[in-house]
Amino acid sequence: MTKPRQYHITTFGCQMNKADSERMAGILEEMGYHFTEDPYAADLVLYNTCTIRDNAEQKVYSYLGRQAKRKQEKPDLTLIVAGCVAQQEGESLLRRVPELDLIMGPQHANRLQDLLEQVEGGSQVVATEPIHIVEDITKPRRDSTVTAWVNVIYGCNEHCTYCVVPGVRGTEQSRYPEAIRAEMEELGRQGFKEVTLLGQNIDAYGRDLPGTTAEGRNKYTLTDLLYYVHDVPGIERIRFATSHPRYFTERLIKACQELPKVCEHFHIPFQSGDNEVLKAMRRGYTHEKYRRIINTIRNYMPDASISADAIVAFPGETEEQFENTLKLVDEIGFDQLNTAAYSPRPGTPAATWDNQLSEEVKGDRLQRLNHLVAQKAAERSQRYAGRIEEVLVEDQNPKNPSQVMGRTRGNRLTFFEGDINELKGKIVAVKITEARAFSLTGEAIEALVTA
């Protein structure tokens, strides 16, 4: 009896990439492949890549070099680069790593089986041409049995001067609400408790779909989608990401307040606290507009958790402009903030500008921002101390097997004593005994929802 072929996927980057990897894993399993944790035991190795930062890209090349060497001894090894680096580099990847069998951009994730059949026919395949994305009909191999990603819109029509995403993920393409709901209903049947609706720019959902309402607005919006999927049986929590301040509406905030399953957590990147820098980034809003959005959220939901993304040392950013970012972070008080020093990306306008800042300035500003972020997050976290929070149990604490871990509705990672076999997938009332900057510890009071 022949041993089944094994596959390994390494995923870099954003939640969209994680969702793509789960779908590609589902396709491979339907084709008879078995998953292995060990990339050096696999017969098929797939790197799902990210090109937002240079260091993620360099790591891919390092991994690829080792696998290419392995392929020289094991010619039947199938080597695939998927995702944003694949889309950006295309055929030039073959010159760099001629051992590759398949290079495929993110829009082609659902076509993996067709592309592999071409590879098995002896072709070296490059699939980076823009296409209409095939609907999500594959059953993904989900990394969790409790929480799941559901794509609602692919691509991005924004053209921020630092960002490669529109170039590598293509133009916006929304899924119809019926397809999204059908996927969520299937997840509910399978026992999943939480769904995160995903889009590179999720507030743009529906604007490419035909139809308007009697009031003359788009028939399909993220707000309408939340109302439409809210009552899916079995799904206890709904989240969404990533939002863009330009399209974030009060109507959406009201919906989040009204709909009990929608979690009080908003991820809205601001990128810079300075209007001139925002203009150079081509973000399409001011820091005043961003602050108004946060104030509106807090008026409706005072306890809502706010997270964001920020970039320091963008080309030409002065010390004073950087201090405007520090000021915004200090005054808003984020629960969590993903920070990065600006990294020039090929094909983006900002990469060609001659006012790039030094690595020393980048490192210094990033360190100063991170110090403030941790301080503010620790302050924000104190509001949880002594409170009872609803925690959806996702897994065992890898550092302490007597504890389980999960997330509050505000997306705070929380640990407490408990048996994972008994509690996985349950929502548990937990009294918080210790509040740290980015996580909580507590004691279970009772399970609120049975698994």
Side-chain angles (χ1 to χ4, degrees):
M1 189 174 126
T2 57
K3 181 170 158 273
R5 278 173 68 80
Q6 294 187 297
Y7 76 94
H8 176 86
I9 297 179
T10 298
T11 308
F12 300 86
C14 68
Q15 296 165 328
M16 297 292 284
N17 264 16
K18 288 172 188 165
D20 288 348
S21 288
E22 289 185 348
R23 290 208 313 283
M24 291 189 285
I27 292 169
L28 291 169
E29 299 211 344
E30 276 181 18
M31 292 175 71
Y33 282 85
H34 288 204
F35 174 72
T36 174
E37 287 279 357
D38 181 4
Y40 296 99
D43 305 289
L44 180 150
V45 176
L46 188 155
Y47 293 113
N48 193 7
T49 58
C50 171
T51 183
I52 288 281
R53 307 265 173 269
D54 187 55
N55 55 358
E57 202 172 314
Q58 295 317 314
K59 204 182 271 188
V60 171
Y61 287 123
S62 150
Y63 288 8
L64 265 178
R66 278 172 263 170
Q67 289 291 352
K69 196 177 274 186
R70 189 174 156 234
K71 183 157 179 155
Q72 289 159 14
E73 294 147 25
K74 183 181 162 62
D76 65 341
L77 170 65
T78 304
L79 206 46
I80 303 170
V81 174
C84 296
V85 172
Q87 183 68 34
Q88 182 177 276
E89 299 299 320
E91 289 197 9
S92 67
L93 263 172
L94 290 178
R95 290 192 288 278
R96 194 161 174 173
V97 189
E99 292 83 357
L100 282 169
D101 296 290
L102 171 58
I103 294 163
M104 53 187 286
Q107 292 173 300
H108 295 263
N110 291 357
R111 294 186 58 225
L112 180 58
Q113 181 162 357
D114 300 346
L115 298 171
L116 276 176
E117 282 165 5
Q118 293 174 44
V119 168
E120 282 157 15
S123 302
Q124 220 175 8
V125 180
V126 178
T128 53
E129 68 281 5
I131 58 159
H132 187 82
I133 295 166
V134 183
E135 180 49 74
D136 290 356
I137 46 172
T138 347
K139 287 200 168 48
R141 178 192 184 273
R142 307 272 182 186
D143 287 341
S144 165
T145 56
V146 179
T147 65
W149 318 108
V150 172
N151 285 314
V152 303
I153 178 171
Y154 300 99
C156 182
N157 290 2
E158 303 304 304
H159 287 279
C160 303
T161 52
Y162 55 83
C163 186
V164 291
V165 166
V168 294
R169 283 198 171 266
T171 53
E172 287 165 5
Q173 183 186 318
S174 302
R175 296 174 69 194
Y176 277 97
E178 296 76 13
I180 295 163
R181 185 178 169 106
E183 186 176 347
M184 287 178 67
E185 285 171 349
E186 180 58 29
L187 289 166
R189 281 192 288 273
Q190 291 171 16
F192 286 86
K193 291 289 182 285
E194 178 181 295
V195 160
T196 300
L197 304 175
L198 280 186
Q200 216 74 48
N201 175 9
I202 198 161
D203 306 85
Y205 173 77
R207 66 180 177 182
D208 58 315
L209 297 177
T212 52
T213 65
E215 300 87 51
R217 63 173 174 79
N218 263 21
K219 185 178 170 188
Y220 302 104
T221 67
L222 176 60
T223 307
D224 296 301
L225 180 68
L226 289 176
Y227 282 111
Y228 179 67
V229 300
H230 185 263
D231 63 348
V232 168
I235 302 300
E236 301 292 337
R237 287 181 173 182
I238 298 170
R239 302 183 187 277
F240 57 89
T242 293
S243 293
H244 192 299
R246 197 195 291 189
Y247 306 105
F248 206 86
T249 64
E250 186 167 356
R251 188 170 169 260
L252 174 63
I253 297 167
K254 271 186 184 162
C256 295
Q257 183 204 31
E258 282 175 20
L259 296 169
K261 290 184 183 181
V262 178
C263 292
E264 302 80 5
H265 171 229
F266 299 88
H267 184 76
I268 317 173
F270 65 88
Q271 306 303 8
S272 171
D274 183 84
N275 287 347
E276 287 304 310
V277 175
L278 287 170
K279 194 173 178 181
M281 289 177 164
R282 218 184 284 152
R283 289 290 287 169
Y285 55 87
T286 59
H287 77 84
E288 290 91 348
K289 175 172 180 179
Y290 187 85
R291 289 165 189 267
R292 284 196 297 274
I293 291 168
I294 304 305
N295 289 340
T296 308
I297 291 171
R298 287 179 172 161
N299 283 341
Y300 279 96
M301 288 169 276
D303 198 46
S305 183
I306 315 279
S307 60
D309 302 337
I311 297 169
V312 301
F314 187 72
E317 180 189 70
T318 64
E319 173 62 25
E320 188 184 355
Q321 288 171 329
F322 167 64
E323 283 170 12
N324 284 338
T325 293
L326 292 179
K327 190 176 173 203
L328 185 139
V329 171
D330 186 46
E331 289 173 0
I332 286 180
F334 292 92
D335 292 84
Q336 189 142 12
L337 186 62
N338 304 324
T339 62
Y342 170 74
S343 175
R345 306 315 297 134
T348 60
T352 65
W353 297 347
D354 57 11
N355 55 351
Q356 307 291 324
L357 302 184
S358 69
E359 293 305 311
E360 289 73 23
V361 169
K362 288 180 184 181
D364 172 64
R365 289 184 185 171
L366 188 59
Q367 190 177 10
R368 284 156 65 197
L369 178 59
N370 285 342
H371 177 74
L372 179 62
V373 167
Q375 184 188 323
K376 299 306 288 187
E379 286 171 20
R380 287 284 293 158
S381 216
Q382 287 312 307
R383 73 190 193 279
Y384 292 116
R387 270 188 4 191
I388 292 169
E389 287 290 315
E390 293 179 13
V391 177
L392 173 60
V393 179
E394 295 175 36
D395 227 322
Q396 195 170 46
N397 179 356
K399 294 179 181 168
N400 180 351
S402 72
Q403 287 185 335
V404 295
M405 62 185 196
R407 290 180 184 273
T408 65
R409 287 176 62 92
N411 209 36
R412 262 291 192 271
L413 188 60
T414 306
F415 303 95
F416 62 93
E417 295 282 322
D419 179 355
I420 191 63
N421 300 313
E422 186 192 320
L423 294 175
K424 191 166 190 172
K426 288 185 180 176
I427 293 178
V428 180
V430 176
K431 182 162 189 184
I432 304 305
T433 53
E434 188 184 348
R436 293 171 297 279
F438 302 110
S439 65
L440 309 169
T441 299
E443 295 164 356
I445 296 173
E446 59 177 322
L448 301 173
V449 177
T450 53

